[in-house]
Amino acid sequence: MSTIRIASFNVNSIKARLPRVLEWLRATKPDIALFQEIKCTEDTFPKLEIEDLGYNLAISGQKTYNGVAILSKFPLEDVTTALPGDDADDHARYIEAFVSMGKTPLRVASIYLPNGNPVESEKFPYKLAWMKRLRAHAKELLKLEEVMVLGGDYNVAPTNDDVYDPEIWANDALCRKESRAGYRAIVNLGLTDAYRALHSHGHAYTFWDYQAGAWQKDNGLRIDHLLLSPQAADRLEKSGIDKSERGKEKASDHVPVWCELTMKK
């Protein structure tokens, strides 16, 4: 048996954060890393620097906005670069791959769910519709009965325990009841929140805004999640949040979340 580490990290521009990202990869050595908001196209992604650390890459990029990627120490196969259900949706928000590794293969997805603000705009219905598409796709994937991790920036704080001030955020798209209901509908398919499964306490955040001294005041939200299939949840050993990354120079406004699974070689 061996243990693998899977992490999710909204890097908020891979080119702007590259020194921090490379430093984190060297220090924590995730076997698989799921990136969001790379904010670049595939041809401008810093492939050489990351491949030099031993990673295979799958990228769905977009100039200036969005963009997701999978980094893996193992071969990647069967790559899907868009969330099914809406051929007109050209946002680079979803990438999925089959990871070939020993006797226990793994399926992973990197997800950058729409923010949805302002809620009075068309962005909020787009978010809710996107969540319904994700639920439908996750339902089909679960039928495969694979070890699977759907990780990313879900832009949803699931409960009031995941928000530093629930009253202030009550009408924000990240905390609206519709957003939380959409998230629960996905989890209730039979998925497990890797962090919450092992850490019941609140005040554990993955995002702190750049404004109003949010980091210094610890005014954060937990909106980055690793959702595990039953087959992955059975192998869950550890999970955590790399909070210290937020305090570094030129840091992303998000920090990595991670879990460790026990797998057969």
Side-chain angles (χ1 to χ4, degrees):
M1 303 291 283
S2 62
T3 300
I4 66 162
R5 176 175 288 222
I6 303 167
S8 177
F9 192 1
N10 180 324
V11 297
N12 190 12
S13 176
I14 185 65
K15 290 187 280 188
R17 316 292 168 206
L18 188 58
R20 293 285 78 81
V21 169
L22 294 176
E23 180 183 74
W24 171 76
L25 287 171
R26 292 188 186 104
T28 64
K29 298 178 173 61
D31 297 284
I32 298 167
L34 311 172
F35 283 178
Q36 302 86 43
E37 274 201 285
I38 60 172
K39 294 185 178 179
C40 68
T41 56
E42 183 175 355
D43 59 334
T44 59
F45 188 91
K47 294 180 182 178
L48 291 178
E49 293 91 332
I50 291 176
E51 287 174 340
D52 280 348
L53 297 180
Y55 289 101
N56 299 295
L57 298 173
I59 302 163
S60 178
Q62 184 176 340
K63 189 176 180 179
T64 309
Y65 300 102
N66 306 322
V68 286
I70 298 171
L71 290 62
S72 173
K73 293 288 183 72
F74 307 96
L76 294 171
E77 302 173 0
D78 189 25
V79 176
T80 299
T81 57
L83 182 66
D86 184 356
D87 293 339
D89 186 357
D90 59 358
H91 289 197
R93 294 183 174 276
Y94 185 88
I95 189 166
E96 172 194 316
F98 188 78
V99 183
S100 297
M101 47 177 299
K103 296 180 180 179
T104 312
L106 169 72
R107 188 175 298 275
V108 297
S110 181
I111 294 164
Y112 179 44
L113 205 141
N115 179 286
N117 284 304
V119 293
E120 299 81 10
S121 73
E122 73 283 353
K123 293 182 178 180
F124 192 52
Y126 170 65
K127 173 178 187 155
L128 299 180
W130 206 95
M131 295 177 84
K132 288 182 179 178
R133 287 164 53 201
L134 178 59
R135 183 186 186 278
H137 185 54
K139 185 177 182 179
E140 292 303 308
L141 291 177
L142 285 166
K143 293 178 182 178
L144 300 174
E145 297 186 352
E146 296 173 331
V147 179
M148 179 176 72
V149 179
L150 304 180
D153 176 1
Y154 279 77
N155 267 314
V156 177
T159 72
N160 285 346
D161 285 342
D162 302 304
V163 191
Y164 76 92
D165 191 328
E167 289 187 12
I168 289 177
W169 285 83
N171 199 43
D172 190 278
L174 278 60
C175 300
R176 281 281 293 256
K177 62 181 181 180
E178 299 95 331
S179 302
R180 288 177 168 176
Y183 178 82
R184 284 196 305 273
I186 295 167
V187 173
N188 288 345
L189 291 170
L191 296 168
T192 296
D193 177 338
Y195 182 79
R196 190 55 77 211
L198 300 179
H199 306 274
S200 59
H201 58 83
H203 306 290
Y205 308 129
T206 64
F207 166 82
W208 297 261
D209 196 276
Y210 289 127
Q211 306 301 317
W215 165 245
Q216 291 76 10
K217 299 173 185 175
D218 199 26
N219 290 349
L221 296 89
R222 191 176 74 95
I223 58 176
D224 302 86
H225 311 295
L226 296 167
L227 299 186
L228 313 181
S229 69
Q231 294 77 14
D234 286 345
R235 293 167 168 79
L236 179 63
E237 293 291 330
K238 298 179 182 178
S239 61
I241 298 170
D242 289 341
K243 182 178 179 178
S244 63
E245 293 298 314
R246 183 63 176 82
K248 296 181 178 178
E249 185 180 358
K250 295 183 178 179
S252 171
D253 46 1
H254 294 251
V255 297
V257 298
W258 56 269
C259 70
E260 291 185 359
L261 307 180
T262 300
M263 309 286 279
K264 291 182 180 179
K265 293 183 179 180

